[in-house]
Amino acid sequence: MNIMGSRIKELRLQKGMTQDELAEKLGVNRANISNYERGQITNIPSDKLDIMADLFDTNVDYIMGRSDVRDKENGKKYYELTEKDERDIAKKLEAMMNDLDSDSSLSFMGEPMDEEDRELLRISIENTLRMSREMAKKKFTPNKYRK
């Protein structure tokens, strides 16, 4: 049995489905489901994989064995930024840029920054904030929450 076959069987059993029920939902016969699970058929059509991913609340990459991340959000990693993280970064970036605006002492070679340089600095600071937030999540997230 290959990884894809064992995952299909595992997910089907977790949902309490029989091979006949899964076959009916996919529009194939039960023998195909049996062949999928035993690894006899490995080139499953993409539309059937999409239906299975929806039925099993997972993603196609997990079913095919390309990823060990089971959640449905396209295999989001535990350290990827959430909407709250994005809002926090935006607030911090805004505060930093306001501090720079209020302090006119920031200049290069005696010349004040023009708008293009200011925008490049803003982008650089934003990228740094994003990277540091992800690195902190990787470092400080307990193992039990790393899926």
Side-chain angles (χ1 to χ4, degrees):
M1 188 182 307
N2 64 4
I3 290 176
M4 182 167 54
S6 63
R7 287 191 175 172
I8 291 171
K9 184 174 184 176
E10 169 196 342
L11 292 166
R12 177 181 61 78
L13 293 175
Q14 284 177 358
K15 286 290 184 179
M17 296 175 75
T18 65
Q19 287 184 343
D20 289 322
E21 290 170 333
L22 180 57
E24 182 180 323
K25 292 186 186 291
L26 294 178
V28 298
N29 59 36
R30 192 198 60 75
N32 279 2
I33 302 300
S34 178
N35 287 333
Y36 294 164
E37 291 180 359
R38 289 181 305 167
Q40 299 293 320
I41 299 177
T42 56
N43 56 345
I44 302 172
S46 62
D47 62 324
K48 305 299 182 202
L49 287 169
D50 289 337
I51 294 170
M52 276 193 271
D54 287 340
L55 286 172
F56 300 142
D57 295 322
T58 189
N59 59 69
V60 172
D61 286 338
Y62 178 77
I63 293 172
M64 294 184 71
R66 294 186 300 211
S67 170
D68 290 331
V69 180
R70 287 182 68 166
D71 66 348
K72 191 170 184 149
E73 286 84 41
N74 296 322
K76 272 189 123 171
K77 306 271 191 268
Y78 68 91
Y79 55 83
E80 288 184 19
L81 300 178
T82 63
E83 287 182 28
K84 182 186 181 310
D85 293 328
E86 296 287 348
R87 287 191 304 268
D88 291 345
I89 289 170
K91 285 179 189 176
K92 190 173 276 191
L93 178 63
E94 187 67 31
M96 293 173 97
M97 293 306 292
N98 286 339
D99 287 345
L100 288 175
D101 287 340
S102 66
D103 185 17
S104 60
S105 65
L106 185 62
S107 60
F108 296 107
M109 305 287 225
E111 295 288 321
M113 270 198 296
D114 62 4
E115 285 304 312
E116 183 179 345
D117 290 337
R118 188 173 299 279
E119 182 62 19
L120 289 173
L121 181 61
R122 187 194 69 74
I123 291 169
S124 177
I125 292 172
E126 182 178 10
N127 287 336
T128 302
L129 290 171
R130 287 176 183 282
M131 286 176 49
S132 63
R133 180 66 61 109
E134 281 188 6
M135 288 170 52
K137 283 181 148 191
K138 283 180 184 178
K139 186 173 182 179
F140 297 112
T141 300
N143 286 338
K144 66 181 181 180
Y145 297 116
R146 297 180 186 187
K147 296 179 183 173

